[in-house]
Amino acid sequence: MAASEFPCSLVVDVPLLDHRLASTAMRALQVDAELSPLVRRTFSLVGREDSAGDEEENSTILRTEYSATTNRMLRVAVNGFMESLGVVLQVMEELDVDVLESKS
Amino acid sequence: MPIAIGLEGSANKLGVGVILHSPPPTSSPASPPSPHDSAHSDDESAFAQSKSNPPPVQILANLRHTFVSPPGTGFLPKDTAAHHRRWIVRLVKQAMKQARVQVEDIDCVCYTKGPGMGAPLGSVAIAARMLNQLWDKPLIGVNHCVGHIEMGRTITGAENPVVLYVSGGNTQVIAYSAQRYRIFGEALDIAVGNCLDRFARVLNISNDPAPGYNIEQLAKNGKVLLELPYAVKGMDVSFSGILARVEELAHRLEKEGSSWTDPATGAPISKEDLCFTLQETVFAMLVEITERAMAHVGANQVLIVGGVGCNERLQQMMGMMASERNGSVYATDERFCIDNGIMIAHAGLLAWEMGFHTKLEDSTFTQRFRTDEVLIDWRD
């Protein structure tokens, strides 16, 4: 994938509380393929800069890298991602097992 | 006692349901235990539950919120998806509270895989995937049409009917054979509910609670049957030409007002007459193709499911045809015929009980998902 074909790019880093939540978010979002062939997307989990120790457990940041042929395509794709991310975060915040247990 | 939560969002209705499947009783539930039972052999007290009878169910929660667009408009995917995103968490919480279930009581998370509108389906699928992971419960992707059919069968107790599935997005005549719901006839272009909904827009009829409901109420006061094309094509039907013609009539009504009169009575044509004309025409077409399927398979029971199935005139017309064939019509009320989450939970739980589940990486959604693509292995 030549960078010149997809010159418009954006990286979105979403810091989450722990590796479990970051991994859950990634797995939920990566199921759906990008609709347009003019957009490329990659997900990864990265650690915080100041963290040390176990690499996997420190990967609490969901990194989404978008690249597209035009800025318009990039904007459309990233807007869609933000909408889905909203659902992911809201479910985490209000329906996770510990949240429900504390409310019952 | 398996319990499932179901999330439905293929059109403008967002539904969340929680259902419980009771195991079949081992003795007749009506008679109290008698001293005889313990002395006699199993075959007297055993309750024969053939695979064709749906299990008894308990509706623990059936919540729905509808996205209603202003009169003269329809619901667009982007806005509908936004509505579903706004409401999904709230509905799930409320449903669990009403059902009085905790996460550990739930056996699986069911969601509508398709068919339907892309973005709305996607919003709900993402929520389902999150619950599947956070709660560590199996995920079940459900076919929306199969959900309607299974809910209709269970609620009405119909044994093996020809099914007329009619809604804003789907129009199919279905009969069960060899573990598949097979499509005998369908709309070739647009669904009957889509025809009704789009006609409502031209007359600025309110979409609250649903355009079809308001057309039905207006039609009750309509008397004049105007001429519309009647487009039955063998086992199938076509509505786009009828829609074009009835929209022309609506524009004529708007232009001519009370100067357009019924030649027979001299009374001015009203929008009630247009609603009446459209319903009588399209419903007669549906009755015809349903009857054709009944003749083919030798059935005399009809089960009507889907949002348009709430229409009492359609039920009445179907009833007239069925009784001529010494049969009967089964229909459910708006809790179940309009899109809902409980039907997704129910069909999903039936599949889960047979060992089915959807892997996370396969938990996609799709606008097109044929009814006969699903293996109905809970029936023989």
Side-chain angles (χ1 to χ4, degrees), chain A residues 14-99:
Chain A
V14 182
L16 291 155
L17 276 181
D18 55 32
H19 173 75
R20 170 182 172 261
L21 290 178
S23 156
T24 298
M26 182 171 85
R27 296 181 71 208
L29 292 167
Q30 72 185 12
V31 177
D32 301 312
E34 270 307 306
L35 287 172
S36 168
L38 306 175
V39 177
R40 295 288 150 92
R41 174 198 76 194
T42 343
F43 287 113
S44 56
L45 297 180
V46 299
R48 292 196 329 266
E49 273 156 27
D50 55 338
S51 64
D54 182 277
E55 241 195 68
E56 201 192 67
E57 279 314 304
N58 280 330
S59 312
T60 61
I61 298 178
L62 171 68
R63 171 163 291 169
T64 315
E65 299 171 69
Y66 272 99
S67 53
T69 54
T70 64
N71 277 319
R72 183 185 161 271
M73 289 312 302
L74 180 66
R75 199 172 57 235
V76 170
V78 172
N79 281 343
F81 166 75
M82 290 298 177
E83 290 166 352
S84 303
L85 181 65
V87 179
V88 165
L89 294 175
Q90 213 193 343
V91 175
M92 276 181 191
E93 187 183 5
E94 300 191 52
L95 291 171
D96 202 348
V97 280
D98 52 357
V99 178

Side-chain angles (χ1 to χ4, degrees), chain A residues 20-21 23-25 27-29 31-32 83-84 87-88 90-92 94-97 100 103-104, chain B residues 78 85-86 88-89 92-93 96 102-103 123 126-127 129-131 133-135 360-365:
Chain A
R20 170 182 172 261
L21 290 178
S23 156
T24 298
R27 296 181 71 208
L29 292 167
V31 177
D32 301 312
E83 290 166 352
S84 303
V87 179
V88 165
Q90 213 193 343
V91 175
M92 276 181 191
E94 300 191 52
L95 291 171
D96 202 348
V97 280
L100 291 175
K103 294 264 162 81
S104 65
Chain B
K78 192 177 156 103
R85 287 194 299 268
R86 267 199 302 276
I88 183 69
V89 168
V92 170
K93 272 165 73 169
M96 291 185 56
Q102 313 290 339
V103 173
S123 310
I126 292 193
R129 292 175 203 146
M130 287 303 293
L131 295 179
Q133 293 184 84
L134 295 176
W135 292 357
L360 183 58
E361 50 268 28
D362 299 328
S363 66
T364 49
F365 56 90

Side-chain angles (χ1 to χ4, degrees), chain B residues 321-369:
Chain B
M321 176 274 290
S323 59
E324 281 170 17
R325 305 179 67 89
N326 294 318
S328 45
V329 174
Y330 296 83
T332 60
D333 63 41
E334 53 83 38
R335 285 173 297 164
F336 306 108
C337 57
I338 300 182
D339 289 348
N340 60 84
I342 202 82
M343 73 190 189
I344 302 300
H346 181 45
L349 198 51
L350 289 170
W352 179 80
E353 285 160 350
M354 300 305 295
F356 176 82
H357 78 277
T358 305
K359 287 204 244 169
L360 183 58
E361 50 268 28
D362 299 328
S363 66
T364 49
F365 56 90
T366 172
Q367 285 174 259
R368 303 201 188 286
F369 188 1

Side-chain angles (χ1 to χ4, degrees), chain B residues 183-199:
Chain B
I183 301 172
F184 272 63
E186 60 189 315
L188 297 172
D189 38 36
I190 60 175
V192 64
N194 190 240
C195 179
L196 292 165
D197 292 352
R198 284 161 68 180
F199 165 70

